[in-house]
Amino acid sequence: MAQDLSLGGQGRFGGPGQNRSLERGLEVLRAFRPGTDLLGNGELAERTGLSRATISRLTQTLVTAGFLEHDRAARAYRLAVPVLSLGHAMRASSPVLRVAVPLMHEVSARLKVNVGLASPDRADMIYLESIRYHRKVSLRTVVAGQRVPIELTSLGRAYLGRLDASERQELLVRLKRAHSAAAWRSISAGIGEALAELGHSGYCWTSWQPNVIALAAPLVIAGRPLALNFSQPSGDTPAQRARLAAGLAPRLLALRDRIENGIEARTMPP
């Protein structure tokens, strides 16, 4: 069965004031990820932890509401067009993106780096915006809405640095379940180094994709934790990557400050 990495665990379907049917329906929609065209009731049951009978009722309702399409030949479901409109509406109405995106474009063009802004969702960071500068294919494929793992990326590790110790430990315990013991030892060491760097310098860096360095800094806007990053092709050795990160870090932190100040200025009363 798929690991449940939500903050509420299996108790997420019974909180006070929550509509259990609505929450379960949203879990079905969450089960669809890039690279997943069709999911049958059995696969949805495995990914959500819900019973097949419950999944059957929910998928029928979501088809009727227009949020899922049923492929009769495959006996499976895919997301329908109205889901796309929700993402567009979110991006178009975001006051954060209205301030951040022009600044991100300007810095990306001037420094010749990729710039991303992401927000946490369970075990992942979701890109709110991704400005791709480089022509290299591996650096061009990140788009708004894409998920990347918290524990492996500079964005995720920057977010971890904003959590208090108890929240961070709770999340790390859940993230650990997705990895072997040997893999987690290496990942945990990298997270420890990132947290130390964040405490000392305000940013962290990693190179989890081959020949690419990414550095990130956390920011909090109206109580919402976000992370901002730069990425570009890197040198071959850890020392070369560290020097590259150190050279870019002041510009990353300056952009973070400009975004925070710009949003604060927009929200202050006249």
Side-chain angles (χ1 to χ4, degrees), residues 221-269:
I221 298 173
R224 178 182 182 183
L226 303 171
L228 179 73
N229 83 336
F230 288 172
S231 65
Q232 68 173 53
S234 68
D236 295 328
T237 69
Q240 289 173 322
R241 294 166 187 165
R243 285 195 296 270
L244 181 59
L248 288 172
R251 295 163 175 82
L252 173 70
L253 298 176
L255 176 59
R256 178 202 60 189
D257 292 344
R258 290 176 66 192
I259 292 172
E260 288 183 329
N261 292 337
I263 291 171
E264 182 179 357
R266 286 180 61 97
T267 57
M268 288 180 63

Side-chain angles (χ1 to χ4, degrees), residues 14-28:
Q18 290 178 296
N19 185 300
R20 295 178 67 201
S21 295
L22 174 59
E23 190 168 306
R24 287 171 168 174
L26 294 174
E27 288 296 314
V28 171

Side-chain angles (χ1 to χ4, degrees), residues 7-268:
L7 289 177
Q10 291 299 326
R12 67 189 187 278
F13 294 123
Q18 290 178 296
N19 185 300
R20 295 178 67 201
S21 295
L22 174 59
E23 190 168 306
R24 287 171 168 174
L26 294 174
E27 288 296 314
V28 171
L29 297 179
R30 279 179 178 273
F32 291 87
R33 300 290 178 90
T36 301
D37 181 20
L38 292 164
L39 290 174
N41 283 343
E43 293 166 303
L44 288 167
E46 181 179 356
R47 293 187 178 207
T48 62
L50 299 170
S51 71
R52 290 184 66 128
T54 298
I55 289 294
S56 180
R57 292 193 296 271
L58 292 170
T59 51
Q60 290 179 40
T61 300
L62 289 166
V63 168
T64 301
F67 287 91
L68 289 182
E69 294 178 355
H70 184 220
D71 187 314
R72 293 182 179 274
R75 301 178 66 181
Y77 303 88
R78 63 170 56 88
L79 293 175
V81 171
V83 177
L84 178 62
S85 72
L86 294 178
H88 176 69
M90 177 270 158
R91 284 170 50 79
S93 64
S94 169
V96 173
L97 293 179
R98 280 198 292 270
V99 171
V101 170
L103 298 175
M104 292 167 65
H105 272 288
E106 184 266 320
V107 169
S108 175
R110 176 163 48 86
L111 300 181
K112 300 178 173 56
V113 296
N114 302 316
V115 184
L117 182 68
S119 179
D121 181 58
R122 299 188 176 180
D124 300 317
M125 299 295 290
I126 299 178
Y127 273 93
L128 301 176
E129 185 57 274
S130 177
I131 312 300
R132 300 288 98 183
Y133 176 84
H134 286 282
R135 296 182 179 180
K136 187 177 179 181
V137 172
S138 64
L139 292 173
R140 239 187 13 243
T141 56
V142 179
V143 297
Q146 184 165 331
R147 292 174 176 267
V148 293
I150 284 176
E151 69 273 26
L152 298 177
T153 60
S154 63
L155 286 166
R157 293 174 180 183
Y159 163 63
L160 288 172
R162 293 297 306 188
L163 298 177
D164 64 39
S166 60
E167 289 178 318
R168 182 165 57 242
Q169 183 58 33
E170 183 182 354
L171 179 54
L172 289 174
V173 167
R174 289 192 299 276
L175 294 172
K176 181 179 179 180
R177 298 172 191 157
H179 300 277
S180 67
W184 185 251
R185 281 194 294 272
S186 176
I187 293 168
S188 181
I191 291 172
E193 292 172 3
L195 295 177
E197 186 70 23
L198 283 161
H200 179 263
S201 305
Y203 75 97
C204 63
W205 69 273
T206 187
S207 186
W208 75 290
Q209 291 182 323
N211 303 314
V212 177
I213 185 175
L215 61 156
L219 61 161
V220 177
I221 298 173
R224 178 182 182 183
L226 303 171
L228 179 73
N229 83 336
F230 288 172
S231 65
Q232 68 173 53
S234 68
D236 295 328
T237 69
Q240 289 173 322
R241 294 166 187 165
R243 285 195 296 270
L244 181 59
L248 288 172
R251 295 163 175 82
L252 173 70
L253 298 176
L255 176 59
R256 178 202 60 189
D257 292 344
R258 290 176 66 192
I259 292 172
E260 288 183 329
N261 292 337
I263 291 171
E264 182 179 357
R266 286 180 61 97
T267 57
M268 288 180 63

